[in-house]
Amino acid sequence: MSDPILRLEGIHTDIAQYHILHGVDLEVPRGAVTMLLGRNGVGKTTTLRTVIGHWQARAGRILFDGAEITGAKTPDRARMGIGYVPEDMGIFSDLTVEENMTLAAATGPLDPARRDRIFEAFPPLRTFWRSPAGTLSGGQKQMLTIARAMAEERRLYLIDEPTKGLAPAIVSTMAGALRDLKRQGASILLVEQNFAVAKALGDYAAVMDDGRIVWAGEMQELATDAGLQERLMGLSMEAQ
Amino acid sequence: MTDAPAHRPTMGDLPLADRIARAMPVLLVPILLVLGFLAIGNPSSWLTLTVSGLAMGMMIFVMASGLTLVFGLMDVINFGHGAFISVGAFVGVSVVLGLAEWTQAPSLLLNLGVVLLAVLAAMAVTGLLGWAFERVIVKPVYGAHLKQILVTVGGLIVIEQLIHVIWGPDEIFFARPEMLKGAITFWGAALEKYRLLAVAVGLVLFVAMRMIFRRTKIGLIVRAGVENGEMVEALGYRLRLVFIGVFIAGSALAGLGGVMWGLYQEVITAGMGEEMMILVFIVVIIGGLGSVEGAFIGALLVGLLQNYIAFLEPKVALISNIGLMTAILMWRPQGMMPVVKAK
């Protein structure tokens, strides 16, 4: 793969006394959506948290757009253009939707044109603009987390299970927003358990097992090969 | 995959009972005022005690606001906060004593000028001291509560002893500036001028803090950081720098509270901050750790209750605040306005 936006080389990460990542090698291509797949507990979330810097890698290198960021602090990584949407959403429930968005625009005021685009993708955010984020429904909170990542131009989005636990109609809204991001040429590393979403959005896929990447390739190849899915993840995605 | 249906959400109004339950902490202050009025019976006595209680509450709030933010932002329990109160009082009173001509002059302008200088000097010194305290004592023990308690208590003792070394071991008695002595009469009630000033200063400070928290980006960062610091960093903000700023500001506010309390009591001791910390902790705990609004309401409740009870049942006054804390924690174990932590 030529000139990936993100490259992980032999990443080992420990959480307390537990050795979670056992040498992750991963390349995330520019301007494409890479799905990070695998069973629960194989290290997908830890990989994203290591990239944003919430966990520091014990060994290995992280290269973002060619620059080494292995030892960089989280705020510096964010300011370099990495947007992070955590699995627990990480919204500030005491702050209003507007305040959440104001904060998300870290380098200056929120661009009105960008805000309007976000309203178009997620109409409920306009309705509840002045409401405390804690009063939103689960789906609306998830919309806010994606909207927050979109508040500024990011060079890479790390998104952790954005459709988890959401009603089908909201999943469709989320998928639409991610598709828009993709259309705009964003580079996305996406952890997703919903196969329909993964198949619809993913250009590439990487499958993890036991803290390592065990397969990487085009999403199309994985999506059409039930045997490969069974072998890598112990399930057939079509059967989901 | 199907498209989402047209989505027109509305936010329903909460039932009346829920709205009252949500507003209850704010309603407690007027409820206490009314109960105090009914129990005391005499309007002029009630007014005097109310102003006294509000003044005491405001001063405790000034001291407590920094502590609650420091805990909320970085989970740091700083028992050394009391030292900043004492140092602030000693520095401020030194200015008041040093400018004796201004202090004794029957000029409101000069008297307020000396108080302002005392406050500025106290806040500058305690702000700097807070910065050093954070670097030397607090920074090495992030995330370890037991160690924080031990080393910050140690820091408190060291600073108290330094006060003895610099200002001597005895308590210092002094007189308030001339125009801040005495009382004015309003509706038959004697209202001490200094207490009115303390109420005004506390109110201005609370409103200013609210404005900063609600209207400025740094305020948003602090509020968001109290809730989920990790996410604030993932958005690109250096929370560590924000925390140092909050620690310095909180220490300076403790210094301001120390000057105000010293001028109120007209006597200062090295241990005064440590003594005040009991009330400060009560206020921070019943308000909800990390909540400035909660600390404000908690401080008013503590101040008012202590003054009302001291008038009605002097023997019960000593335990009234412990009783208040017990009652509030039984009602809301996380305090009146708890900050929902994401961690």
Side-chain angles (χ1 to χ4, degrees):
Chain A
M1 198 181 297
S2 63
D3 189 25
I5 185 88
L6 178 75
R7 185 202 301 268
L8 307 187
E9 295 174 359
I11 290 295
H12 287 258
T13 300
D14 296 339
I15 302 176
Q17 71 269 42
Y18 302 106
H19 187 182
I20 308 294
L21 300 186
H22 298 260
V24 172
D25 295 300
L26 174 68
E27 288 192 349
V28 177
R30 216 174 274 275
V33 178
T34 304
M35 309 303 302
L36 190 57
L37 305 171
R39 284 171 296 197
N40 283 340
V42 295
K44 304 186 296 292
T45 295
T46 305
T47 302
L48 295 198
R49 288 176 62 85
T50 304
V51 174
I52 193 64
H54 286 335
W55 302 124
Q56 285 292 331
R58 170 165 57 81
R61 295 202 315 155
I62 305 172
L63 297 158
F64 176 60
D65 213 359
E68 175 149 4
I69 58 166
T70 318
K73 293 204 162 71
T74 299
D76 297 327
R77 297 184 196 204
R79 282 179 182 263
M80 288 174 81
I82 302 179
Y84 176 55
V85 178
E87 189 181 359
D88 65 3
M89 300 193 266
I91 64 152
F92 307 117
S93 51
D94 186 41
L95 274 57
T96 63
V97 172
E98 182 183 14
E99 289 170 337
N100 268 273
M101 293 301 295
T102 304
L103 211 51
T107 55
L110 182 62
D111 174 29
R114 188 173 280 272
R115 186 194 59 196
D116 291 344
R117 272 210 306 277
I118 288 169
F119 283 161
E120 217 169 279
F122 304 119
L125 296 186
R126 185 202 299 268
T127 312
F128 298 128
W129 190 238
R130 296 277 159 84
S131 304
T135 60
L136 299 179
S137 71
Q140 290 158 358
K141 282 179 184 164
Q142 193 59 274
M143 291 177 195
L144 176 57
T145 63
I146 305 279
R148 224 168 38 176
M150 293 160 66
E152 283 189 332
E153 198 68 54
R154 316 274 185 196
R155 288 192 282 165
L156 171 68
Y157 294 85
L158 309 171
I159 306 177
D160 200 351
E161 298 210 40
T163 65
K164 188 179 172 186
L166 299 183
I170 310 287
V171 169
S172 157
T173 305
M174 301 300 302
L178 295 174
R179 208 176 293 126
D180 282 348
L181 260 186
K182 180 180 165 180
R183 248 198 308 270
Q184 289 158 27
S187 310
I188 303 175
L189 178 59
L190 180 62
V191 172
E192 179 58 68
Q193 302 277 24
N194 183 320
F195 179 59
V197 175
K199 196 172 148 189
L201 290 173
D203 299 305
Y204 298 94
V207 181
M208 290 190 78
D209 195 19
D210 196 23
R212 292 181 188 85
I213 302 288
V214 291
W215 184 88
E218 294 199 6
M219 184 71 210
Q220 186 67 20
E221 187 187 341
L222 183 65
T224 52
D225 190 340
L228 187 63
Q229 294 161 24
E230 189 76 39
R231 183 165 61 78
L232 293 172
M233 295 177 281
L235 54 81
S236 160
M237 291 167 153
E238 287 293 2
Q240 253 191 2
Chain B
M1 205 181 308
T2 54
D3 281 341
H7 199 75
R8 295 194 185 285
T10 54
M11 180 107 37
D13 279 340
L14 284 171
L16 183 65
D18 286 356
R19 271 184 284 165
I20 291 175
R22 189 173 285 188
M24 195 40 117
V26 182
L27 293 176
L28 280 179
V29 175
I31 289 172
L32 184 59
L33 288 171
V34 172
L35 288 177
F37 186 79
L38 295 174
I40 292 162
N42 180 342
S44 60
S45 300
W46 172 79
L47 191 55
T48 303
L49 292 167
T50 299
V51 171
S52 175
L54 289 177
M56 183 178 168
M58 293 293 183
M59 287 185 270
I60 297 171
F61 164 69
V62 172
M63 299 175 210
S65 52
L67 188 73
T68 199
L69 276 179
V70 162
F71 183 86
L73 257 188
M74 285 290 193
D75 255 3
V76 169
I77 303 175
N78 180 16
F79 276 73
H81 198 71
F84 306 134
I85 297 172
S86 299
V87 170
F90 274 84
V91 171
V93 168
S94 298
V95 171
V96 170
L97 293 174
L99 293 171
E101 281 181 17
W102 288 25
T103 308
Q104 288 157 12
S107 154
L108 186 62
L109 205 63
L110 284 178
N111 289 172
L112 288 180
V114 79
V115 171
L116 185 67
L117 283 177
V119 162
L120 290 178
M123 290 180 79
V125 171
T126 49
L128 270 175
L129 189 64
W131 175 73
F133 199 86
E134 199 278 336
R135 301 270 316 175
V136 177
I137 293 180
V138 177
K139 195 178 169 191
V141 290
Y142 275 133
H145 280 161
L146 184 61
K147 287 181 183 170
Q148 284 167 10
I149 294 171
L150 291 172
V151 298
T152 55
V153 167
L156 171 75
I157 294 169
V158 169
I159 294 175
E160 277 185 10
Q161 294 307 311
L162 282 174
I163 290 176
H164 287 308
V165 171
I166 298 170
W167 281 280
D170 300 326
E171 54 203 1
I172 298 176
F173 291 92
F174 63 99
R176 245 177 255 155
E178 209 52 38
M179 298 299 282
L180 298 177
K181 290 177 184 168
I184 60 166
T185 309
F186 183 75
W187 272 5
L191 308 178
E192 264 194 49
K193 289 181 199 167
Y194 183 73
R195 287 175 181 170
L196 291 172
L197 179 69
V199 171
V201 170
L203 264 182
V204 167
L205 198 73
F206 176 67
V207 171
M209 283 175 85
R210 255 188 87 89
M211 298 270 281
I212 290 170
F213 285 134
R214 305 275 155 186
R215 304 273 171 83
T216 68
K217 199 149 191 178
I218 188 78
L220 287 185
I221 294 169
V222 172
R223 282 168 59 207
V226 168
E227 199 177 323
N228 188 344
E230 202 173 63
M231 195 60 220
V232 172
E233 294 214 305
L235 290 175
Y237 300 101
R238 292 179 182 84
L239 203 58
R240 163 98 192 118
L241 289 180
V242 176
F243 174 69
I244 294 172
V246 167
F247 201 96
I248 292 171
S251 308
L253 284 173
L256 168 62
V259 183
M260 290 172 71
W261 192 252
L263 285 169
Y264 180 54
Q265 301 283 42
E266 296 186 290
V267 58
I268 54 172
T269 65
M272 64 182 277
E274 196 183 330
E275 288 156 21
M276 287 307 292
M277 283 305 282
I278 295 169
L279 285 180
V280 168
F281 269 120
I282 290 176
V283 160
V284 168
I285 289 166
I286 66 176
L289 290 159
S291 165
V292 171
E293 278 96 348
F296 183 69
I297 293 170
L300 294 186
L301 291 178
V302 163
L304 287 170
L305 190 71
Q306 179 141 331
N307 277 272
Y308 290 159
I309 300 284
F311 177 79
L312 295 165
E313 282 294 336
K315 284 181 186 165
V316 186
L318 277 175
I319 58 160
S320 65
N321 288 314
I322 301 290
L324 176 72
M325 182 168 75
T326 309
I328 285 182
L329 291 184
M330 284 173 72
W331 170 47
R332 290 195 174 176
Q334 305 284 314
M336 288 184 293
M337 294 182 162
V339 173
V340 182
K341 284 267 190 192
K343 286 165 251 172

